[in-house]
Amino acid sequence: MAVNLNRVPVIREVACPRPTRVVSDASSLAGALRHVKGGDVIALEDGAYAGRFVATASGSPGSPIYLCGSPRAVLAGDGPRSGYVFHLDGGDHWRLVGFTIRNGQKGLVADSTVGSVFQGLTVEQIGDEAIHLRTHSTDNLVLANTVRHTGLRREKFGEGIYVGSAVSNWCRYTRCKPDRSDRNVIARNTVSFTTAEALDIKEGSSGGYVLDNTFDGSALRGADSWVDVKGNGWLVQGNRGTNSPGDGFQTHDVAKGWGQGNVFRRNVAEVHGPGHGFALRPVNDNVVMCDNVARGAARGLSNAQCVKPH
């Protein structure tokens, strides 16, 4: 699919309404999640919430469900080898805002969610990936989160933000069909100290946006770039990365028909490493605009000739 460069989404932060329920411990939070309905607003008091939390209810576009707290409200799992700290399992139109998720094998996993917003969260001290949109999760916004210290279980799986599923997992999650986690927006996040990619966009996912994020690859051990786009038709714009053991941004076509039609523009790649700022493998019809900047990239801006903006 072709990227329409004139239709970049306007992003607005959500504000949490007056709460309909206030919770102060893990038991009351788990109960609130079991009985929540569209339009409800759960507020987390500051403190520790130990356990694994699951939400399955759905809101609607006009009546989303809110779960809000400050960074001092901490959902803490059982350690980097055990479970998901927060699992949004099939629920649509959620607003998760402001709190901390810590100390699980995975931090926040969203399966089959539509129209949800994950904003201002701190996700840290995670065994594998911190935030994962999976199983046809579409039209969601991942906005202004702080993600750090992943890969404590296995460096290879320590992605910061992960969209979709690898082709090897399609039969597990999406009945052997591509995981169409489409049209998601990843914007204004700060991702650091991840052992694998800060952002991994899998084959099967199309039509998303990566806008104005900040990536630091100082801890990369299980990957060789901040961003790896294996889906189609993504716009990667206005991002800044520093420190990579390989390249800054990459594309790959690990499954037939994928890794195509992606556009990189107005990004700054402070690589300080041996690769390119933008490595397209293969080039296919992916595009690196000439308004991208690469510094400290031993092999230059890109392995593809850049395209001048209109």
Side-chain angles (χ1 to χ4, degrees), residues 167-187:
V167 61
S168 58
N169 284 323
W170 287 353
C171 289
R172 180 177 181 181
Y173 294 115
T174 52
R175 299 183 180 181
C176 301
K177 302 294 184 181
D179 184 345
R180 300 279 187 177
S181 290
D182 293 342
R183 299 181 301 280
N184 294 296
V185 178
I186 315 297

Side-chain angles (χ1 to χ4, degrees), residues 36-57:
V36 74
K37 61 184 183 304
D40 285 351
V41 181
I42 304 170
L44 297 164
E45 290 190 345
D46 290 351
Y49 297 77
R52 306 179 196 173
F53 301 94
V54 180
T56 59

Side-chain angles (χ1 to χ4, degrees), residues 60-144:
S60 66
S63 295
I65 299 170
Y66 290 82
L67 177 61
C68 302
S70 83
R72 295 180 298 278
V74 180
L75 276 57
D78 303 322
R81 297 183 179 277
S82 180
Y84 308 166
V85 182
F86 193 96
H87 189 191
L88 181 54
D89 190 7
D92 297 335
H93 300 289
W94 277 74
R95 308 288 183 262
L96 272 57
V97 181
F99 53 92
T100 295
I101 296 173
R102 180 183 293 162
N103 200 36
Q105 181 179 339
K106 301 177 190 287
L108 166 63
V109 177
D111 280 315
S112 305
T113 189
V114 176
S116 292
V117 178
F118 310 102
Q119 175 187 301
L121 304 171
T122 299
V123 188
E124 61 186 7
Q125 303 296 332
I126 301 299
D128 294 340
E129 69 272 16
I131 298 175
H132 191 168
L133 306 183
R134 189 176 66 186
T135 320
H136 306 313
S137 286
T138 61
D139 299 298
N140 301 295
L141 174 60
V142 181
L143 176 63

Side-chain angles (χ1 to χ4, degrees), residues 102-280:
R102 180 183 293 162
N103 200 36
Q105 181 179 339
K106 301 177 190 287
L108 166 63
V109 177
D111 280 315
S112 305
T113 189
V114 176
S116 292
V117 178
F118 310 102
Q119 175 187 301
L121 304 171
T122 299
V123 188
E124 61 186 7
Q125 303 296 332
I126 301 299
D128 294 340
E129 69 272 16
I131 298 175
H132 191 168
L133 306 183
R134 189 176 66 186
T135 320
H136 306 313
S137 286
T138 61
D139 299 298
N140 301 295
L141 174 60
V142 181
L143 176 63
N145 301 287
T146 298
V147 174
R148 58 196 177 200
H149 299 295
T150 65
L152 303 184
R153 186 182 75 96
R154 286 191 65 184
E155 292 178 341
K156 181 180 178 181
F157 299 144
E159 294 89 351
I161 301 170
Y162 193 112
V163 180
S165 303
V167 61
S168 58
N169 284 323
W170 287 353
C171 289
R172 180 177 181 181
Y173 294 115
T174 52
R175 299 183 180 181
C176 301
K177 302 294 184 181
D179 184 345
R180 300 279 187 177
S181 290
D182 293 342
R183 299 181 301 280
N184 294 296
V185 178
I186 315 297
R188 303 205 297 267
N189 301 282
T190 300
V191 186
S192 61
F193 299 105
T194 64
T195 57
E197 295 91 347
L199 173 59
D200 195 0
I201 299 168
K202 306 308 285 189
E203 55 275 16
S205 176
S206 299
Y209 295 86
V210 181
L211 307 174
D212 304 316
N213 300 279
T214 301
F215 308 119
D216 184 347
S218 298
L220 283 175
R221 302 291 184 272
D224 58 356
S225 67
W226 312 305
V227 176
D228 194 350
V229 185
K230 305 180 187 79
N232 290 352
W234 281 74
L235 174 62
V236 181
Q237 174 179 296
N239 304 280
R240 178 178 291 270
T242 58
N243 303 317
S244 174
D247 306 306
F249 300 81
Q250 296 178 346
T251 66
H252 288 95
D253 64 349
V254 300
K256 184 177 180 180
W258 295 99
Q260 302 179 7
N262 302 292
V263 176
F264 299 83
R265 72 172 180 179
R266 303 177 193 162
N267 302 285
V268 177
E270 301 270 4
V271 179
H272 305 301
H276 294 97
F278 302 82
L280 313 180

